[in-house]
Amino acid sequence: QLSWGTLNYIESAGTGAPIMLVHGNSGSSRAFEKQVEGHLGKTHRVVAIDLPGHGGSGALAGAGEYSFPAYAKTIVEAAAVLGMEDAVFVGWSLGGHAVLEASAALPKARGFVIHGAPPLDFPPAMDAAFSPHPAMDMAFKGDLSDEEARSFVGSFLAPESSMGLEPFLKDVARTDPNARAGLGMSIAPGGYTDETPIVRDMKTPLAVLCGDEDQLVNGGYISDLEMPSLWRGEVQLIKGAGHAPQLEAPDAYNDLLAAFMSEL
């Protein structure tokens, strides 16, 4: 139980150095099942949370309550309640932005990992950070038709991916529509912290992963950012994966996370 309501999460059997995983827009902890249940979860304490209004977690009062700061507060509170203040915090897409927003309030964190989350300046250069794709409009739309939902989640995968959309569609269906609408409202003056100084001034190790066939993120934009603590000095590309490499290429993704953990 957190200050805003009930947090749902899944946890691995491992007891090694902790890792907290934070999903993307209209997703859930199920997006990280292959990390929680895979070799990473056998060697580390891996916890994947459901953000407010997503998965099995409680909803917030209305669209105006959903924001990057609200999600960041959830991460910080969850870390305290679960005894994971010294974890490595991993954020996918929306989760990556929330992790960056939370980073200043997580001074004991061993490291941060983001993917599908180009650090946004202020005002946000959305056209530079993201590739043009019709699904971007749906990311901030409350109610989605079946066709819109399929288009939205289809953008998560590499263009020729054979992976089915059903797991994503189930998560979209149980997401509070206010969460998408509120996210769009949050990308406004006072709605979030400029993320480019966060990564520029970060002293804690930061790993940035990216599927080499991501349909939504402009990899060149990320590579041009100043990130002195960037792990291995460059963005780590995951071949054959799109916006959701943890699902499309779980072995390569898990190996990178394991290597990051071992090198900290």
Side-chain angles (χ1 to χ4, degrees):
Q1 188 73 22
L2 302 186
S3 63
W4 52 267
T6 303
L7 176 85
N8 184 65
Y9 65 94
I10 57 176
E11 184 169 357
S12 74
T15 58
I19 304 171
M20 181 177 287
L21 304 168
V22 187
H23 63 79
N25 184 350
S26 304
S28 79
S29 54
R30 295 193 305 181
F32 292 107
E33 284 182 340
K34 293 183 178 180
Q35 286 66 55
V36 172
E37 298 172 1
H39 69 78
L40 198 68
K42 290 180 173 64
T43 56
H44 293 82
R45 183 191 178 197
V46 180
V47 171
I49 67 171
D50 288 343
L51 292 171
H54 294 74
S57 287
L60 300 182
E65 299 297 312
Y66 290 99
S67 65
F68 287 144
Y71 292 137
K73 180 181 179 182
T74 293
I75 294 169
V76 174
E77 286 191 4
V81 169
L82 296 172
M84 299 183 72
E85 294 98 330
D86 61 343
V88 164
F89 294 85
V90 182
W92 167 46
S93 200
L94 163 62
H97 297 290
V99 162
L100 291 179
E101 183 85 26
S103 60
L106 296 167
K108 296 180 181 179
R110 302 185 191 198
F112 298 99
V113 181
I114 61 173
H115 56 97
L120 297 175
D121 55 4
F122 192 85
M126 300 293 283
D127 292 343
F130 295 95
S131 302
H133 195 289
M136 288 298 296
D137 293 335
M138 299 160 203
F140 310 120
K141 183 177 179 183
D143 293 309
L144 297 176
S145 67
D146 290 345
E147 182 179 352
E148 288 173 329
R150 295 190 72 85
S151 176
F152 178 49
V153 302
S155 70
F156 297 172
L157 303 177
E160 302 302 322
S161 176
S162 60
M163 185 177 173
L165 302 181
E166 289 309 312
F168 298 110
L169 290 171
K170 288 179 181 178
D171 278 341
V172 170
R174 60 182 185 158
T175 298
D176 181 1
N178 284 325
R180 284 186 295 274
L183 180 60
M185 294 164 57
S186 180
I187 304 176
Y192 70 99
T193 304
D194 189 330
E195 296 169 352
T196 52
I198 293 176
V199 297
R200 182 194 66 210
D201 300 334
M202 185 176 287
K203 303 297 190 295
T204 308
L206 169 69
V208 180
L209 317 181
C210 185
D212 69 347
E213 296 186 47
D214 194 320
Q215 297 189 68
L216 299 178
V217 173
N218 178 2
Y221 168 89
I222 301 176
S223 297
D224 288 341
L225 294 176
E226 185 180 351
M227 297 182 284
S229 70
L230 182 63
W231 181 52
R232 294 181 174 176
E234 61 183 0
V235 174
Q236 303 299 304
L237 292 179
I238 301 177
K239 292 184 178 180
H243 194 61
Q246 78 279 12
L247 287 169
E248 290 185 275
D251 290 341
Y253 180 95
N254 290 352
D255 286 347
L256 279 170
L257 279 190
F260 182 65
M261 297 296 293
S262 68
E263 292 177 23
L264 287 177

